[in-house]
Structure formats: structure tokens, C-alpha cells
Amino acid sequence: MVDFDTAGQTAIQLADEFARAHGCDITIIRDLLGRNAFAIEGKLVPDKLCQDLGEGISKQCNPFVAPHPVIRIESMVAPELVLSSPDRKLLPEQLAQSGRVYLLERTAVGADWVRRPTVPSKTRIALYGFKGGVGRSTAAYMLAREFSRCGQVVLVVDLDLESPGISSLLVPTMEFADYGVVDHLVTAPVDLNPNLDIVTRAEISSSGNGEVWLAAAGGRTRAGYHYIEKLSRIYIDIPDSAGSKSMTFAERLENSIQYCERQVSEKSRQPDVVLLDSRAGIHDIAAIAITQLSTFALLFATDNRQTWEGYRELFRQWQVRLDPQHLSQVRERLQVVASMVPSRGREDYLARFRDSAQDCFADTLYDSVDAADSDAFSFSVSDESAPHYPFPILHSMDLVGIESSSELLGSDLVDAAYSQFLTSVLRMATETTNQ
Amino acid sequence: MSIQPNFGSAARKHFKDAELLRGHSRIANSDHLSGLAAECALKQLVQSVFNGSMNDSGLMVNPETNKGMRSHADKAWDEVILLAQSRNSSLAIPVTNPFFDWHVSGRYGGEDSVGEDVEKRHFEGAREAIKALENAQLDWMF
């Protein structure tokens, strides 16, 4: 018996040899159980060779092999399911030298991490932490306040749908709008023009004419309003059906965010900045927020082994699965945030943090250093413009157990803890807007 | 002697023949084959995705109701939609039944018994059913 990873590597090797020998394209399909099969394009490849290939993979990849391991693309009625799937990726040369081997992962969750990135039209900032509990939502609150202090209209979208946090920091739950993001997600597939009041103005003290608006995960708690029933229906791609077109979950989420942005425009004016508070862990929402919905993504981290291992695995997926152009698009929008930096021994901690972060990026997303190539995407550990070079947030005991916005106001310690982070993000947002 | 069914392969067989016929403007029989193609695709879905089995009379049993399935595409389509919904399964199949006006007795109709628009809807419906089947096959490799 071979294990899952070995079977995957063997399948790639077999496909690559076959593609080179017979001049055809092969898509390795890994089904929901992790079993490998080959979809072969090319009418001229004799059946006997395909049969031999099938016997080879059955022998060498067992038990991670499909019962019928070879599919002829020409025999399919809907070959676009393979050839035009957004999840089908050409394997880079380091994995398959022929340049003719593709991988199509059939997974219940997680495919959005490696879908091709898109670039939204306005400044949208995703806040993400591989591990939870690192002050991400509080940072979102502080950012919203800072942008509004600069006279900007900010929309904060709570995408931490399983454990909403930023919503109640910004607005008391009893003052939420009638509906939330989940309501739009569940309504849009059955009603092309939904009429849902989702955004509500947060009362954040702010000089000038800045405003903060919130699109909460759910609506105001009230008799007859249910949340779980909606949450359990939203994470699906909608197939073609009469009256509506097919939409991936990523497109649905984009649609919902645009709806919230329009609603702010109608109630006040066009939002200048949108903050997307994304949930922790390897979750589809986070994947979409980082690679599809945002202009840049703040990756929250504390310097510990689990966090960097998590990011390393995530980056490695991008490195392997995205083609070079799309890989550049994703890595250029990343920025690490060092959250909860201890006040004692701060500089030592940050130095260690930078080393760990640079290691993680250098192993995965940075180009291998070649002195002749000045365009290479690669940064030394002390390069302040590097995505691994963290925007720091100092840890303050004042921030422990904060439940409402009023507790965050008027504390000099809090302002000091966030000052460098806020300045850096504002600068980054300005640079993005100017580009 | 009855033949051991292979619904998936039969669905493609009927569909490809329907495609040939409509290429020669033989739409009445193309229409008939589209209905049979969809029926076979739906039965393969029930068998492989919903663990349906055949009873002693050779009827596919609906695993939710434990009754024999309505045989042909006009009724089987709705039955599969209901089955998918009760199993919370996201089959990539249109909810609206394109075969509502198809009937197996169409084989007794004459040359002009089917209009072009109706035939086109049935042909595309058959393609959707097979596409849903092939999509499920990529997930579960049956």
C-alpha cells in the first residue's frame, strides 16, 4: 500500500512520462476520496497504451487509484468539466517536465485557495490569521477608525461567519440592521433583486466627514430570525438552473460585498475603503478574501512554529498550483502583521519574527536568488519593503477581553500599540490607490 | 435474455445517436433518443450517487421511498431532484424539468410529431443530465 502523498507523486511521474512519450496532454484527476485517474486528450493514442497506463497506475498508486483509472476526454459528452474547470492547473516544470500535465483536484472544500486570483476595482483589505485569537478583529476596528479619521468612508464586512467578532465591536448587536451577509448569500440565488437592509452606520468618534459602516454577518437578533439554517446553505457553488446563471461561491461572495458597497453609496457616499474581516484557518472564505476579493491582504501572525508551518503549507500550495503570472498577483498583495508583540524584549522578538517570516516566504513564494536578475521577487530579511517585514502591533493588557468599542477609545496605550501598524497600512492603501 | 444494464454508457450511446440524427434533420427520433439518454443518465446517478439498486423486476428502486422509480425522463427528472434535495446533495442538474412534455409513447408519433424548439430543449436537457452524471463521476470515479 502507498500513502496519499506518494500516490499523488507517482501519478504525476507516470503522467509526465506518458505525456512526453506519446505527445498528449494528461489531466490527473484526484477525486473526493483522493483517488487518482488520468484524463487523456488525443484521439491518436492507441487504446492499448491507455490500458497499460491504467494497469501501471493501479499497481503503483493502490489504494489511491480510481476503479477506472483512464478516461478518454473524447468519450465525454461534457469535456468542459475537465478542460475548462477553474480548478484545473498546469503543473510547473519542477513537477512535470513535459509541460503537458495538469492536475484537477476534486475537493469538497479548499479549492478556492488555488483558483486564479482576481483584482477588485477599489481598495479592499482582507485581514486574515492562520490561527485565531491574535487580535485581528480589534485591528480591523482600529483600522476602520483610523481611515474614518482621515475623512474616508469605510465599509467593514464581517466575513467571520462562523464566529462573528468585528460586528459587535463596531455596533451594539441590538442596533444591527435587519439583515446580514448570510441573508444576502442565501437570498441572491433565488431572488435576482433582493431588497435587504444590511449596512448600518457605526458611531465612531471621528473628526471631519469620515464614516464607518458595518455589514454584519447576521441581522439583528429578534424573534423569528434564524442564523444557523442560512449558514449551512451558503457554502456551495450554484449550478445552472432556470432563471439564474451558475455562480461559484467566490462569485456569490463578491456579489454580496458589491451589494453592501452599493447600499453604503445609496445611504451616504461611495466607500473609499472596504475591510474584510476573514475567519482563521484553511477556510474557503479566507481563500476567497485573499485571492479574489482584496487588493491586499494582511496576514496576522505570532512567532510560533504552528503559525509558520500553517503559512508555509498555504504558500506552498500557491507556489505549486498557480501559474507564474497568477502567483505574482497573489504574492504581491500579501503583507505580514506581527500581532501581540510583547513589550518586554520587543526588538529581539521582532528580529526573531522577521527571520521566521523571511524563511517561510523564501522557501515558498520568493524567487530563488540570482544576482543577475534584478526583477526577481526576493527580499533580504531586513528589507523593509518586503511582504515578510511585519507591521507590528504591540501587546497591551488593556486590550485583553475587550468587548465593545467604548473600551477601545481614549486609551493612549492602545493608540501607541497600534500607531505603527495603522500608519503602515494607510500608506500601503494610498500606494495601492495611486497605482 | 435481458441485458445487464450499463446506464452511463447507454446514456452516451443514445445521446450521440440523437446528435447524429439531428445533424440530418431527423428530429422526431432525435427527440426520442434524447429522452432515453436523460433517463439512463438519471438512473446511473441514482445508482451510483444515491446508492439505488435494481429490484427483481429490473426496476431501479428509489432509495428514499423504497419504491420503483418512475421509468422515463418526464417523471424520473423530478424524482431525482427531490432525491437530491432530501439527501442535501448538490447535483449539478437544472431544477426545472425540460422533459415535462416528453413521453415515451412519442415513438408511435409520425414524422412531424415534434417541433424543433421542443426537440432542442430535450436535446439540451439530455446533455445537462449527462453533464451532471459526468460531474459526479469526476467526484466519485464510479
Side-chain angles (χ1 to χ4, degrees), chain A residues 32 35 77-78 80 106 242, chain B residues 96 127 134-135 139-141:
Chain A
L32 290 175
R35 298 179 300 181
V77 166
E80 71 273 17
R106 304 288 289 191
Chain B
T96 310
R127 191 177 191 285
E134 291 185 341
N135 192 46
D139 276 344
W140 298 107
M141 291 294 169

Side-chain angles (χ1 to χ4, degrees), chain A residues 68-83:
Chain A
H68 307 289
V70 177
I71 300 162
R72 305 291 296 241
I73 290 281
E74 288 79 15
S75 73
M76 291 181 75
V77 166
E80 71 273 17
L81 288 169
V82 174
L83 302 179

